[in-house]
Amino acid sequence: MPYDDELLFEKDLVKYLYTSCGWSKEVIKYPTEEDLIKNWANILFENNNETDKLNNCPLTDGEMRQILTTIEEMKSPYKLNSFINGKTVTITRDNPNDTLHLGQPVTLKIYDRMEIAAGKSRYQIVEQPKFKTTNNVYPTRRGDVMLLINGMPVYHIELKKSNVSITHAETQIEKYMVNNAFTGIFSLIQIFVAMNPEEAVYFANPGRDGKFNPLYYFHWTNADNEYINEWDKFTHSLLSIPRAHEMVGFYTVADGSDGILKVLRPYQVYAAAKVSSVVSAAHWTKLEQKAGYVWHTTGSGKTLTSFKTAQLIANMSKADKVVFLIDRVELGEQSYLDYVNFANVDE
């Protein structure tokens, strides 16, 4: 269905997200950054109000400033991704009502990539968030749609109507970055999406000091590597729960060599997910175990795919060791350096 009205397209996308994709029906409309910080504080309180944590005493503005200061100090996407996937954040309590912990450090749960569509995970839609920018002509701007997991904005979506190229949406995101719109709580965004009704791409947040590279703007596909272009099919396949949660928790890779965040291409996601699911279902005590393989061409990301697959297998405790077999020393040395930059790896 073509859309000549961008606002109508936005409304239909938002409705589709909460009716068909697992996001909350309670849409947050036109919030400022301060509104989203309060929303995050409320969720942190709901998820951590036990006696040994917040002791049923809400977070103060000062305690939220501590968290935001921690975020501001993490300028690279590498560190911010590690923050989100680190599961917790520690504050020093300054709420005088919490006499049990006043002046003491308290560790709060913020996100668990294993807790998908269950437990305390919250999935919220934000419509037209307000940014503060350093642009003198437009000191405040409105984005189109954001998606929050546990109060943290992890996806930002820019939309264009039919017959307007998605490159315009890509450029808009790039301009927002130049004008420092993605700072504060907005620096937590992991994945950007540029979309019109007929086409969409997704790409990792390069951070304030990074550079956008169109070579890493990916179209989403199905398992047969066929493009999924229509906005509703793209949204359902990539941005619905559990996939949207998994993309942030499992299919992003923070590269320590350059501080850059990488997001996997769709065929890498399908390959790693398939291998890990087969391993998970395997009965290793039985004889005649079946083998399998992932076929890659040169330059298609074999090392990253192998790393992510090995990581998923290791995290499910189904294997004591994952062996990476190579056919030449040079490849082993380079792969080892890549692995070290992707995560802490023992020789």
Side-chain angles (χ1 to χ4, degrees):
M1 172 183 172
Y3 285 86
D4 295 326
D5 185 333
E6 186 178 308
L7 186 57
L8 177 60
F9 178 35
E10 178 183 306
K11 296 294 183 185
D12 282 357
L13 171 64
V14 168
K15 183 177 180 180
Y16 189 73
L17 284 164
Y18 67 72
T19 58
S20 302
C21 300
W23 297 85
S24 172
K25 187 177 181 179
E26 307 302 320
V27 179
I28 304 172
K29 297 186 177 184
Y30 321 121
T32 62
E33 182 180 11
E34 289 74 19
D35 294 330
L36 293 179
I37 292 170
K38 290 178 182 177
N39 174 71
W40 192 19
N42 290 336
I43 291 174
L44 286 171
F45 174 64
E46 292 170 8
N47 289 347
N48 296 276
N49 59 11
E50 299 94 333
T51 301
D52 62 341
K53 292 185 179 179
L54 293 179
N55 194 27
N56 207 33
C57 297
L59 286 157
T60 66
D61 291 343
E63 290 165 344
M64 287 305 298
R65 277 196 298 273
Q66 292 179 44
I67 298 175
L68 290 167
T69 297
T70 299
I71 291 171
E72 286 292 339
E73 291 173 349
M74 297 178 180
K75 295 182 179 180
S76 73
Y78 171 84
K79 293 181 179 179
L80 288 164
N81 182 265
S82 299
F83 169 81
I84 292 173
N85 284 300
K87 297 184 179 182
T88 62
V89 64
T90 299
I91 61 166
T92 299
R93 288 244 72 180
D94 65 16
N95 187 335
N97 295 321
D98 186 1
T99 55
L100 183 63
H101 301 115
L102 185 62
Q104 301 297 317
V106 175
T107 299
L108 308 177
K109 176 181 177 181
I110 57 172
Y111 170 80
D112 189 341
R113 60 185 179 183
M114 300 299 296
E115 207 168 71
I116 303 173
K120 296 181 178 180
S121 292
R122 295 277 299 277
Y123 304 104
Q124 296 171 296
I125 305 167
V126 174
E127 194 170 359
Q128 295 195 17
K130 298 177 182 177
F131 302 129
K132 297 174 184 175
T133 76
T134 53
N135 187 318
N136 293 329
V137 179
Y138 300 107
T140 58
R141 297 298 300 270
R142 283 185 181 179
D144 290 330
V145 178
M146 276 187 182
L147 302 178
L148 316 182
I149 298 181
N150 286 358
M152 296 182 291
V154 291
Y155 288 88
H156 178 73
I157 307 169
E158 278 297 317
L159 305 172
K160 293 298 174 186
K161 63 184 180 180
S162 294
N163 299 318
V164 177
S165 172
I166 58 170
T167 57
H168 291 278
E170 295 166 3
T171 300
Q172 197 161 340
I173 292 170
E174 293 164 7
K175 287 181 177 178
Y176 284 154
M177 184 68 76
V178 170
N179 291 320
N180 291 320
F182 300 121
T183 57
I185 194 173
F186 299 123
S187 63
L188 292 171
I189 294 167
Q190 300 293 286
I191 298 173
F192 290 115
V193 175
M195 180 191 298
N196 68 23
E198 295 79 31
E199 186 181 9
V201 294
Y202 70 100
F203 46 100
N205 183 352
R208 284 171 280 175
D209 299 326
K211 293 183 179 180
F212 289 93
N213 187 344
L215 291 175
Y216 299 103
Y217 294 1
F218 304 135
H219 290 83
W220 188 249
T221 69
N222 61 20
D224 294 320
N225 210 32
E226 299 167 334
Y227 281 0
I228 298 176
N229 290 320
E230 298 87 347
W231 72 269
D232 51 345
K233 294 178 182 178
F234 172 92
T235 300
H236 194 272
S237 185
L238 177 63
L239 298 178
S240 61
I241 305 302
R243 177 73 75 198
H245 187 124
E246 292 169 343
M247 288 298 290
V248 173
F250 295 110
Y251 301 118
T252 54
V253 176
D255 190 339
S257 66
D258 51 16
I260 295 298
L261 179 67
K262 294 176 169 64
V263 61
L264 270 63
R265 296 172 172 89
Y267 60 78
Q268 294 175 302
V269 172
Y270 289 123
K274 183 65 174 179
V275 173
S276 61
S277 66
V278 170
V279 171
S280 178
H283 299 285
W284 299 109
T285 56
K286 293 185 177 180
L287 299 176
E288 299 181 4
Q289 290 293 324
K290 293 183 178 180
Y293 63 90
V294 177
W295 183 85
H296 271 287
T297 59
T298 301
S300 58
K302 295 185 292 296
T303 302
L304 188 58
T305 305
S306 65
F307 166 78
K308 182 52 66 173
T309 302
Q311 187 183 56
L312 291 174
I313 293 171
N315 286 344
M316 65 176 73
S317 300
K318 293 287 288 188
D320 296 322
K321 183 176 291 186
V322 180
V323 178
F324 187 43
L325 182 65
I326 48 92
D327 62 356
R328 58 190 185 275
V329 173
E330 295 81 3
L331 178 59
E333 292 173 346
Q334 182 57 52
S335 298
Y336 173 72
L337 291 175
D338 289 336
Y339 272 38
V340 168
N341 289 323
F342 295 155
N344 293 321
V345 179
D346 294 328
E347 292 189 76

